[in-house]
Amino acid sequence: MTDYFSVKNPATGDLIQEVKINTEEEINLALKKGHDSFKKWSKINAHERSRLLQKWSKKINENKEEIAKVMTMENGKPLSESLGEVDYSTSYIDWYAEEAKRIYGRTIPANTESKRILVTKQPIGLVAAITPWNFPAAMMARKAAPALAAGCTFIVKPAVETPLTTIKFIELAHEAGIPEGVIQYVNGRGSMIGDLFSNSDYVRKITFTGSTPVGKELIRNSADTIKHVTMELGGHAPLIVAADADIDYAVKQTVGTKFRNAGQTCVCANRLIVHESILDEFTEKFVAEVKKLKVGNGLDEGTTVGPIINEKGFNKIVAQIKDAKEKGAEVVLGDKYDANQEKGYFFVHPTVLKNVNTDMIIMHEETFGPVAPITSFKTIEEAVELANSTPYGLAAYFFTTDYRTGTYLHDHLDFGIIGWNDGGPSAAHAPFGGMKESGLGREGGIEGIEPYLETKYMSIGGI
Ligand code: SIN
C-alpha cells in the first residue's frame, strides 16, 4: 500500500497536496542510482557541468513566480520573501556554475631534484542532503550547486512541511539536462531516511541544515562509515547596539533581521543587547517600526509576517514569552496570538519584551519566532561576555560607528557570521556557517565547494 503525507498551508490549515512517502526499498534504489551515476557525472568536463548549472538557474528564473507562490503556500512566508528566496537560490547556482571551472590543484617543490609532487582534487561521490522547511529552496540550492559543480551526485530529503518547492527545483534540473540519477529527491520521515543515508555505503557525505540535536545524531551515525559531514545547526544570535550607533539605521536593520520569515531563521537576532545610555530611545523607535509590520497570509498584499510553521513551533514561542513574563520581563508590544488548533494555523504577532535577564529561557534557547527580547549593557566587555555565553556560534550583529569598537567586537565575538552595521550578511559569495554547536563546515563562497572534494597528491619519482 502506498503511503502519503499531507502538505498543508500554515496560514489556513488547508490541504495543498498529498505527497508519496518513499519506501525503504525505493530509497535504497535511489541511493544506488546516485552512486552509479557518479561514475559518468564525475568525468563530465567542468565547463559542461557549469553550462548545465547555468541552464538550471535559467529555468528556475523562468518559473520564479510559480515557485514563489508554492513556497509561500507551503511555508507561509510573505510572497516578497519567497521571490527573494528564489533569487537567493539561483545566486548559489550561478556562483557554483563559475566555481566548477576553478577547481585547481597545485605543485609542491619536492625535497630532491628527481621528484615532482602534484596535488589534485576530485569529487567525493554521492552526497545526501537533509534540508529544512524555513528556506525550502535556498538551503537545497546551496548544497546541490557546489556538489554538482564539484562532480558529485546528489540526493535530498526535504522537510515534510515543505517538499513541493524542492520537487519543483529538481524537476527543473532534469528539464535543464542534468541527468535524473545525478540529482534526486526522496520523501518521508526524517529519522528513517537519516538512518538510511548515514548507514549507506553509497553515500560519501551528509550535509544537513536543521537542529543541533539532529545534527549530533547524524554525525554519530555517520561515524561507522567515516562520511564527510557539513552541519548548519541552530543559532542564538546576539545583536549589540553600541552607544555611538546610528540608532535609526540600527532599528531598521534590526527589524529586518529579527522578523525575516517571522523570526524563523537560524541567523535571526535572538537577543537585543543595547547600551544603557540609548536603551529607551532605541526601544521606543524599535517598537514604532515593529508596529508597521502586518501579520497575515503570505499571499495577501502587504503581509510582512506570516504564520508559524506548526503547533510545536508555536507552543515553544508561547512558552518562552510566558517564562520571560513570569521572571519579570515586561511586554512592550505583542504577546498576541491568532491560532486555531482545529484548523491548524498559528500566528504570533510581533512581540517586544524589555527587562529581560539571563534567567529566562529566551536568553538561552533559539526562539524561531517573531519575539525580540531587549536587555542592556554598560561596557563593551560585558556585551561580549553576554553575547558569547551560549553554546551556539552562528551569527552575531553589532551596530557602531566607532572603528575601535567594531574591530574589538569582530575580534572577540565567537560567531562564524558577523554583521557590522549589517542585518543581512548572507550571500552566495560568502562562507556561511557556525562555530561551536552551530555546526561544522561552510556553505557559499570559495570555501563552499571544498567539502565536496577529496585532495589527492602524487609524488613522481625518477625524473
Ligand atoms: C537559515 O537561517 O537557516 C539560513 C538563513 C540564510 O541563509 O540567510
Side-chain angles (χ1 to χ4, degrees):
M1 201 183 82
T2 309
D3 276 339
Y4 290 85
F5 64 92
S6 307
V7 182
K8 293 188 175 169
N9 185 334
T12 58
D14 294 342
L15 176 72
I16 309 173
Q17 199 176 307
E18 301 279 3
V19 171
K20 181 180 169 337
I21 299 176
N22 290 111
T23 60
E24 202 172 313
E25 196 186 347
E26 286 168 340
I27 296 165
N28 282 328
L29 276 174
L31 291 172
K32 181 169 185 327
K33 190 169 167 184
H35 171 262
D36 293 348
S37 305
F38 175 72
K39 285 187 196 74
K40 197 163 168 202
W41 177 251
S42 57
K43 295 289 176 270
I44 286 180
N45 183 292
H47 290 255
E48 177 57 13
R49 291 201 303 268
S50 171
R51 269 192 293 277
L52 287 167
L53 284 168
Q54 286 165 22
K55 277 172 79 178
W56 185 23
S57 170
K58 192 159 172 273
K59 288 256 172 218
I60 293 167
N61 252 314
E62 285 163 5
N63 290 273
K64 183 172 161 177
E65 314 289 325
E66 185 203 333
I67 297 171
K69 195 167 165 214
V70 169
M71 199 191 305
T72 289
M73 284 174 70
E74 64 178 355
N75 166 283
K77 64 178 69 183
L79 192 58
S80 56
E81 285 193 31
S82 296
L83 287 164
E85 189 179 334
V86 178
D87 288 342
Y88 185 40
S89 310
T90 51
S91 72
Y92 281 98
I93 301 173
D94 296 344
W95 173 266
Y96 286 108
E98 294 305 318
E99 286 302 294
K101 297 176 273 184
R102 301 197 177 94
I103 299 169
Y104 303 130
R106 73 188 204 278
T107 55
I108 298 175
N111 58 352
T112 73
E113 277 300 304
S114 60
K115 282 193 179 190
R116 298 286 182 275
I117 295 178
L118 201 66
V119 183
T120 53
K121 307 267 180 172
Q122 69 181 47
I124 60 177
L126 172 62
V127 174
I130 302 177
T131 53
W133 50 264
N134 63 341
F135 290 91
M139 299 305 100
M140 197 275 281
R142 82 172 170 208
K143 296 176 191 311
L148 266 48
C152 296
T153 49
F154 184 83
I155 183 163
V156 59
K157 183 225 128 23
V160 284
E161 292 85 352
T162 57
L164 306 177
T165 309
T166 303
I167 293 173
K168 184 72 193 163
F169 258 55
I170 292 183
E171 284 170 359
L172 291 171
H174 297 156
E175 273 180 38
I178 300 174
E180 284 194 10
V182 170
I183 181 164
Q184 307 177 79
Y185 64 83
V186 287
N187 279 306
R189 220 163 27 85
S191 51
M192 187 267 258
I193 299 183
D195 283 351
L196 288 177
F197 281 179
S198 28
N199 292 328
S200 169
D201 285 328
Y202 293 135
V203 175
R204 287 309 314 138
K205 178 183 174 72
I206 302 255
T207 173
F208 170 68
T209 297
S211 76
T212 297
V214 174
K216 286 181 183 177
E217 199 179 318
L218 286 167
I219 296 171
R220 272 192 293 270
N221 294 348
S222 299
D224 276 348
T225 45
I226 315 282
K227 291 191 198 333
H228 296 247
V229 289
T230 294
M231 296 283 146
E232 296 291 355
L233 309 176
H236 199 249
L239 183 148
I240 298 169
V241 189
D244 58 72
D246 176 337
I247 296 181
D248 294 332
Y249 176 80
V251 161
K252 287 223 158 73
Q253 293 283 313
T254 306
V255 171
T257 165
K258 176 65 254 185
F259 297 100
R260 175 181 177 215
N261 200 11
Q264 301 172 104
T265 88
C266 306
V267 290
C268 271
N270 218 92
R271 298 169 283 154
L272 276 47
I273 305 168
V274 182
H275 192 263
E276 59 178 11
S277 64
I278 53 159
L279 181 64
D280 290 345
E281 184 184 352
F282 178 88
T283 307
E284 195 181 308
K285 289 181 165 170
F286 182 66
V287 168
E289 204 57 35
V290 177
K291 277 185 180 162
K292 295 180 189 163
L293 299 172
K294 190 166 167 260
V295 178
N297 185 326
L299 289 179
D300 293 344
E301 184 80 30
T303 295
T304 45
V305 177
I308 302 306
I309 192 74
N310 55 30
E311 188 172 8
K312 190 169 166 228
F314 175 79
N315 288 341
K316 183 180 183 194
I317 300 164
V318 175
Q320 284 197 3
I321 296 175
K322 184 168 172 283
D323 170 79
K325 284 197 305 187
E326 282 167 4
K327 292 175 180 159
E330 191 185 317
V331 177
V332 194
L333 184 74
D335 192 17
K336 268 179 58 193
Y337 312 93
D338 179 11
N340 188 321
Q341 197 182 28
E342 206 179 309
K343 289 204 168 130
Y345 62 77
F346 305 90
F347 290 88
V348 175
H349 287 251
T351 297
V352 181
L353 303 174
K354 71 175 189 183
N355 297 338
V356 297
N357 61 54
T358 51
D359 289 340
M360 300 169 184
I361 297 170
I362 201 160
M363 292 299 275
H364 300 284
E365 284 181 16
E366 200 170 24
T367 306
F368 246 62
V371 187
I374 308 180
T375 189
S376 64
F377 70 94
K378 280 189 186 24
T379 65
I380 207 70
E381 292 79 11
E382 191 193 329
V384 168
E385 200 179 317
L386 186 56
N388 283 342
S389 64
T390 167
Y392 297 111
L394 187 57
Y397 306 86
F398 57 79
F399 291 87
T400 177
T401 51
D402 183 330
Y403 81 91
R404 284 161 304 195
T405 308
T407 344
Y408 180 87
L409 287 170
H410 167 266
D411 293 351
H412 289 84
L413 287 171
D414 297 330
F415 294 83
I417 305 160
I418 308 257
W420 177 355
N421 293 337
D422 187 2
S426 307
H429 40 277
F432 188 104
M435 298 182 183
K436 303 193 298 192
E437 294 197 16
S438 285
L440 287 173
R442 295 293 179 265
E443 295 185 314
I446 53 170
E447 290 85 352
I449 200 159
E450 276 298 322
Y452 298 93
L453 296 165
E454 289 280 15
T455 299
K456 183 185 215 175
Y457 85 82
M458 177 166 66
S459 179
I460 310 169
I463 290 173

